[in-house]
């Protein structure tokens, strides 16, 4: 089975993770229009202040197809 999830925010990534945990043999692809996939919004102030890099806010790094 192939599943497409639209949106790489918290809900989209949660749905994709849940599908993979229930059906590990299924192919799941998440499509997001922006470069931030499953980011941690609580870390944004650290990026604004220059303490962290924006890439450090993402758990899953995006792969461009």
């Amino acid at each position: 089975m192939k599943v497409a999830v639209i949106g790489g925010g918290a809900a989209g990534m949660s749905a994709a993770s849940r599908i993979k945990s229930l059906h590990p043999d299924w192919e799941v692809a998440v499509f997001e229009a922006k470069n931030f996939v499953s980011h941690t919004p609580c870390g944004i102030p650290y990026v604004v202040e220059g303490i962290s890099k924006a890439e450090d806010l993402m758990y899953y790094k995006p792969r461009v197809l």
Side-chain angles (χ1 to χ4, degrees):
M1 174 74 67
K2 293 184 178 184
V3 178
V5 177
I6 309 300
M13 296 306 285
S14 293
S17 294
R18 183 68 175 150
I19 292 167
K20 284 300 282 185
S21 69
L22 294 174
H23 304 284
D25 55 321
W26 288 13
E27 183 178 333
V28 179
V30 178
F31 295 91
E32 171 59 48
K34 300 177 187 76
N35 291 332
F36 292 99
V37 178
S38 188
H39 69 284
T40 54
C42 57
I44 292 174
Y46 297 102
V47 173
V48 172
E49 289 295 321
I51 298 170
S52 297
K53 296 182 289 184
E55 296 82 29
D56 295 337
L57 298 179
M58 293 181 283
Y59 184 74
Y60 298 104
K61 303 296 183 203
R63 183 177 57 142
V64 179
L65 299 176

